[in-house]
Amino acid sequence: MPLEIRPALADELVPCAELFARIAIEGFYWLEPRYRTAEAMLGTFNEEQVFVAVRDGALIGFLSLYRSDAFVHSLFVETRRQGVCPALLMRAIAEVGGGVSLKCADENRAARRFYDRLAFVEIDRGDDEGHS
C-alpha cells in the first residue's frame, strides 16, 4: 500500500476540512470552538495550496501551504507514526524549493515533539488568535 502525496482535488477539500474538525474537536482544547470547525478550515483553503496523502484510495492526511511565504498553515493526519507527516512536509519543502516555516501551539505537545525530531528550530514564541 504505497503512499501518494499530491495536490488536492477540488472535491477533496471538504474531506480535508472534516479531518481537521475531527482532530481539533477531540484534541485542541485550547482553541475556541469556532476555530475547530470544518467551515473555519475551508475558509483558509482559498489562499493556500493543499496537498493530500492518499493510501489505498483513502485520504489519510493533508498539508496546507501559503506558498508565497513558504509557510505551512496546517498539517493533519488520521494516524501518527506512519510516515505521512514527514512525507507531506517533504512535498511542501520541494514545492517551495527550500525550507518552510510553521507555528505550533505550546499546548500541542505531540506536534512540538514531532517537529523537534525533524530538527525544526523555534525562532519565536507568542500568543495566537483563537487561544483561550
Side-chain angles (χ1 to χ4, degrees), residues 92-108:
I93 290 167
E95 286 291 320
V96 300
V100 296
S101 64
L102 54 87
K103 62 182 173 182
C104 184
D106 283 338
E107 297 90 344
N108 195 347

Side-chain angles (χ1 to χ4, degrees), residues 79-114:
T79 56
R80 296 180 181 162
R81 300 192 183 272
Q82 305 281 318
V84 180
C85 284
L88 284 163
L89 281 169
M90 293 307 296
R91 177 63 185 259
I93 290 167
E95 286 291 320
V96 300
V100 296
S101 64
L102 54 87
K103 62 182 173 182
C104 184
D106 283 338
E107 297 90 344
N108 195 347
R109 290 184 183 96
R112 291 181 60 83
R113 286 190 304 272
F114 167 74

Side-chain angles (χ1 to χ4, degrees), residues 17-90:
E18 291 169 345
L19 169 61
F20 159 77
R22 283 194 308 276
I23 293 169
I25 288 167
E26 294 172 8
F28 287 18
Y29 64 87
W30 61 88
L31 282 179
E32 293 179 24
R34 65 185 169 131
Y35 293 111
R36 292 184 271 172
T37 66
E39 293 77 20
M41 180 57 70
L42 270 175
T44 69
F45 288 161
N46 293 332
E47 302 170 13
E48 302 171 349
Q49 186 171 11
V50 179
F51 297 95
V52 293
V54 178
R55 183 174 282 144
D56 294 330
L59 188 142
I60 59 171
F62 77 93
L63 177 145
S64 63
L65 175 70
Y66 284 114
R67 192 180 181 95
S68 62
D69 295 335
F71 178 76
V72 174
H73 174 239
S74 301
L75 175 59
F76 292 94
V77 297
E78 288 284 357
T79 56
R80 296 180 181 162
R81 300 192 183 272
Q82 305 281 318
V84 180
C85 284
L88 284 163
L89 281 169
M90 293 307 296

